[in-house]
């Protein structure tokens, strides 16, 4: 049996199971400011903590939703090692992405991954879908929920 077929069989045994919980990541104001700089999104609710404290219900500045989403890559690396025979992994996109709660500057977040789908796309490609929930420490409502599609490419 090929490395891909072994990975498929192992993944099928974990369908519907939480397969990873990442380390906590602190979303600092510096991180928010740098994200604003590189994305050219310097809306004041992100980069002006004093104004955000005075004019929003958030008590200060909040992270960009896309910053929170972009940290999913780090969360994935915390949880998963390359599979035997894997040449690379490719982000294939997201389904049903929802931002449910703002991430305040200084908050800690982490990702929870549930394997929801897996299928062989070709002799070298395995499609895995993880339902991802990004939690905010000490809050009941998560920052975001989504289904994350990833292609695992295997050597021939």
């Amino acid at each position: 049996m090929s490395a891909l077929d072994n990975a498929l069989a192992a993944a099928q045994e974990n369908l519907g199971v939480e397969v990873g919980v990442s380390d906590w990541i602190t979303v600092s104001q510096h991180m928010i400011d740098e994200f604003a700089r590189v994305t050219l999104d310097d809306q004041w609710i992100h980069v002006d903590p004093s104004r955000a404290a005075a004019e929003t219900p958030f008590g200060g500045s909040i992270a960009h939703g896309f910053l929170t989403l972009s940290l999913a890559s780090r969360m994935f690396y915390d949880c998963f090692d390359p599979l035997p025979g894997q040449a690379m992994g490719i982000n294939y996109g997201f389904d049903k992405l929802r931002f449910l709660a703002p991430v305040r500057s200084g908050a800690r977040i982490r990702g929870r991954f549930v394997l929801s789908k897996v299928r062989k796309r070709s002799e070298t490609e395995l499609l895995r879908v993880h339902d991802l929930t990004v939690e905010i420490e000490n809050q009941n409502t998560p920052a975001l929920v989504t289904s994350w599609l990833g292609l695992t490419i295997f050597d021939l």
Side-chain angles (χ1 to χ4, degrees):
M1 197 172 349
S2 71
L4 185 148
D5 290 326
N6 286 334
L8 176 61
Q12 288 171 330
E13 292 178 12
N14 286 311
L15 285 173
V17 174
E18 184 174 83
V19 291
V21 178
S22 76
D23 295 336
W24 289 104
I25 299 169
T26 300
V27 181
S28 67
Q29 187 61 49
H30 176 73
M31 188 184 293
I32 294 167
D33 292 342
E34 287 299 297
F35 189 85
R37 186 182 61 77
V38 299
T39 61
L40 307 177
D41 181 356
D42 60 356
Q43 185 180 25
W44 62 269
I45 64 172
H46 306 301
V47 299
D48 188 339
S50 297
R51 183 175 176 192
E55 297 181 31
T56 73
F58 309 128
S61 60
I62 60 171
H64 305 72
F66 287 126
L67 168 56
T68 304
L69 179 62
S70 70
L71 292 170
S73 292
R74 173 74 258 163
M75 295 169 189
F76 189 89
Y77 287 124
D78 285 347
C79 296
F80 304 104
D81 292 325
L83 299 173
Q86 178 178 337
M88 71 184 85
I90 298 174
N91 181 356
Y92 197 57
F94 296 90
D95 286 336
K96 303 175 188 170
L97 172 63
R98 296 292 182 266
F99 298 104
L100 301 176
V103 176
R104 292 173 177 87
S105 177
R108 293 188 342 148
I109 60 174
R110 71 176 174 190
R112 291 186 170 277
F113 296 86
V114 173
L115 183 63
S116 61
K117 296 178 189 168
V118 61
R119 74 175 172 86
K120 186 175 179 178
R121 281 186 26 129
S122 73
E123 293 306 309
T124 59
E125 296 180 350
L126 185 67
L127 174 67
R128 293 185 294 171
V129 180
H130 289 95
D131 291 338
L132 169 62
T133 301
V134 175
E135 301 177 318
I136 306 168
E137 188 175 37
N138 300 319
Q139 289 195 23
N140 293 328
T141 304
L144 69 85
V145 294
T146 190
S147 292
W148 189 3
L149 293 71
L151 289 179
T152 305
I153 311 299
F154 289 83
D155 296 319
L156 280 176

